[in-house]
Amino acid sequence: MRGTSFAETLLGTVRLDSDDHDRRIRLDLRAEADEVLRPHRTTTARLNGRLRITGLADDPRTRGTMQISPLTRRRIRYQLSFTTADRRTLTLDGWKSVTARHPVKSMTVLPVTLYEDGARVGTGTLRFPAAAGLLPFLLSFRFPGREEADRYAAPRWDGRPGRTEVWYTTLTDPATGTGVWLHHELTVPTDGSPPAAHGWVATFPREGKVRHARFGPAPWPRPAGGFSAAGVTAVGGQLSGAAGDFSWDLTETPSGAPLFTFPRWSWRRTLLPATHLLPASRAAYSGILHDGERTLTLRDAPGASARIYGHGNARRWAWLHADLGHGDVLEVVAAVSTRPGLRRLPPLVFLRLKHRGRTWPSRPERSAAGLLGIGRFRARIGLPEWTVTGRTALRRVRVTVTQPADRTLALDYRDPDGAPAVCRNSERADAEVVLERWWGRWRTEAAWTLDGTAHAEVGDR
């Protein structure tokens, strides 16, 4: 099954009912649909992007939907939710009324209305800049293969001893800036002891101390899908449970195709010490989480869930998940294996950057092994700062991650063989990412700065 994705930019003006002047507005959107776009049918696409209104809003995490029905209903409707500079939540609603009499105008002009809590607060008109925007718009179309996220949420353990399986979720509450970490783990000892389910939950507030609580260990009931043990579940887009002073009940809405940090074949065949993937490259979370001191009411909080399966933790490792906005995502795992012969090597880097609908490098092995052994990406793992650099023939990347001590939580646990490990995690890390392209000389293609919204970890034994 294939989907459709494309990017669109709209420019125009809006006037608030309380104003006597127009404000400029710009929409940079990426649309993703789970089916191939057919003009004679109605197609619903998810919208992600950035909305800017002069003096009112600059929200890089604008989300919404687009109903594309140019022939059946003769309209293309946009519905977006965004946050203003003073943290009000507004809704933009409008549609292009498609007519055969004025085909170009009707497909490029978008009248809109702004609402707050259901009441109108403004109106405006946006236009598609055909002269400058048509070619980039056409070139942005992609028809990627689609896979269901639930396929990769089911337990992978096949009954053999000495295995670790993890379901974890990280997200950022856009209203408060609080980072959230939910970790669910199955540990199967190498000595043949019964498997045990355990995990933890943690919050990283913008102000105040990091808080966490553990749950388990508990017997593993072998659920058919996801994690379910110790009164905690992560199944079918629902995450719920209680641990210590914490309680949570969240709904997960996946967005985007699976993102394989390691080679795709490593999930089917356990030839590597471990493997890692995201069932969906991005997700939005809504619901309630209470940590004993505060209650978070999440509404489409950006984040992602991931899966790990293998023999245990690496000797040393670093991890980063960064939602870069506009549908762009960066996932990095850099690790030194515990296996003889591999433990003396520098960290192997698996880097996957989803940018403008494409994933770079094209294959996960490229960043870890290079091309014929040449051009491996490199990582310098440490705290409070660690870095990753690398290049292919025409692109190079530099990633700098900072985990301040007061925003980092250290937790200890054990591998299936009983060996101890410590992870130092921050759901409010900082990150700088620079992507450059060769055009006779190196020129910046894109750059991102994340202030307290990156999710990162450094671990060792």
Side-chain angles (χ1 to χ4, degrees):
M1 184 173 67
R2 291 194 172 273
T4 304
S5 68
F6 59 89
E8 182 180 23
T9 295
L10 296 168
L11 308 173
T13 60
V14 295
R15 175 174 292 195
L16 302 181
D17 293 343
S18 59
D19 285 348
D20 59 359
H21 62 280
D22 292 338
R23 299 171 184 256
R24 291 187 178 182
I25 179 173
R26 177 183 177 118
L27 275 176
D28 295 291
L29 299 174
R30 180 146 206 99
E32 294 185 342
D34 292 330
E35 59 182 320
V36 174
L37 184 63
R38 295 179 174 88
H40 64 283
R41 297 175 57 183
T42 298
T43 303
T44 300
R46 297 176 297 276
L47 293 177
N48 295 275
R50 183 176 185 178
L51 180 147
R52 283 171 279 189
I53 300 177
T54 303
L56 179 68
D58 185 355
D59 186 356
R61 301 187 185 280
T62 298
R63 297 178 182 270
T65 60
M66 174 190 288
Q67 290 184 337
I68 308 169
S69 186
L71 298 181
T72 304
R73 298 182 180 179
R74 296 185 179 180
R75 73 179 187 182
I76 303 174
R77 186 173 186 177
Y78 297 69
Q79 293 177 297
L80 296 165
S81 177
F82 65 95
T83 303
T84 65
D86 56 358
R87 300 196 175 278
R88 297 155 55 201
T89 299
L90 302 186
T91 301
L92 180 148
D93 189 1
W95 58 83
K96 301 172 182 176
S97 299
V98 181
T99 66
R101 187 174 181 180
H102 302 287
V104 175
K105 181 179 179 180
S106 63
M107 290 285 287
T108 58
V109 177
L110 175 66
V112 299
T113 304
L114 301 181
Y115 296 93
E116 182 176 14
D117 296 328
R120 195 191 87 165
V121 295
T123 59
T125 302
L126 291 91
R127 291 176 172 81
F128 175 74
L134 182 59
L135 183 59
F137 172 71
L138 296 175
L139 293 176
S140 73
F141 271 82
R142 303 285 183 270
F143 302 94
R146 294 289 175 183
E147 297 180 273
E148 294 295 330
D150 289 347
R151 174 183 178 184
Y152 298 103
R156 179 71 177 78
W157 181 50
D158 56 7
R160 287 182 289 181
R163 296 293 188 273
T164 293
E165 185 163 6
V166 176
W167 298 252
Y168 71 82
T169 298
T170 60
L171 60 97
T172 300
D173 176 19
T176 65
T178 301
V180 176
W181 181 24
L182 288 166
H183 181 100
H184 316 79
E185 183 167 332
L186 168 66
T187 301
V188 187
T190 56
D191 62 6
S193 301
H198 67 103
W200 50 82
V201 56
T203 53
F204 299 72
R206 188 183 296 273
E207 297 180 358
K209 294 182 178 180
V210 176
R211 292 177 55 82
H212 80 282
R214 295 179 183 261
F215 54 85
W220 180 243
R222 293 178 179 265
F227 180 97
S228 181
V232 175
T233 62
V235 179
Q238 298 292 323
L239 299 99
S240 61
D245 293 335
F246 283 75
S247 61
W248 62 96
D249 187 3
L250 306 177
T251 300
E252 178 185 69
T253 304
S255 176
L259 185 64
F260 290 85
T261 321
F262 286 44
R264 182 186 291 258
W265 54 260
S266 67
W267 187 255
R268 300 191 302 269
R269 303 179 182 89
T270 56
L271 302 178
L272 298 180
T275 187
H276 180 279
L277 66 85
L278 280 66
S281 58
R282 294 173 292 112
Y285 298 86
S286 299
I288 302 294
L289 184 147
H290 181 68
D291 68 359
E293 288 189 354
R294 63 188 67 84
T295 297
L296 297 178
T297 301
L298 303 175
R299 180 182 176 186
D300 291 334
S305 290
R307 300 279 279 109
I308 301 173
Y309 184 70
H311 296 269
N313 292 284
R315 187 179 183 87
R316 280 192 304 133
W317 72 90
W319 160 81
L320 171 70
H321 174 79
D323 188 324
L324 305 174
H326 304 283
D328 296 345
V329 173
L330 174 64
E331 194 78 16
V332 178
V333 174
V336 178
S337 175
T338 59
R339 290 187 175 181
L342 297 178
R343 66 182 62 172
R344 297 182 180 276
L345 296 177
L348 294 179
V349 177
F350 293 90
L351 182 146
R352 310 291 282 153
L353 174 61
K354 185 177 180 182
H355 177 47
R356 295 178 178 172
R358 293 185 175 182
T359 303
W360 175 85
S362 58
R363 297 185 62 85
E365 300 92 331
R366 177 62 182 84
S367 60
L371 187 63
L372 300 177
I374 301 174
R376 281 199 315 110
F377 286 29
R378 300 184 181 277
R380 295 180 179 272
I381 300 177
L383 284 175
E385 182 179 285
W386 57 274
T387 62
V388 168
T389 57
R391 60 168 291 184
T392 57
L394 295 177
R395 284 187 172 89
R396 69 183 183 184
V397 70
R398 181 174 69 256
V399 182
T400 303
V401 181
T402 305
Q403 298 183 217
D406 61 340
R407 295 188 237 154
T408 299
L409 172 65
L411 289 175
D412 62 296
Y413 49 107
R414 292 188 177 275
D415 280 341
D417 62 0
V422 178
C423 67
R424 298 169 180 86
N425 180 286
S426 176
E427 302 304 322
R428 291 202 63 249
D430 303 328
E432 292 186 1
V433 182
V434 178
L435 178 67
E436 297 177 305
R437 187 181 177 96
W438 178 258
W439 293 102
R441 62 182 179 86
W442 289 109
R443 300 182 182 181
T444 299
E445 180 178 353
W448 301 270
T449 299
L450 283 72
D451 182 8
T453 60
H455 309 280
E457 181 176 289
V458 169
D460 56 30
R461 294 175 175 272

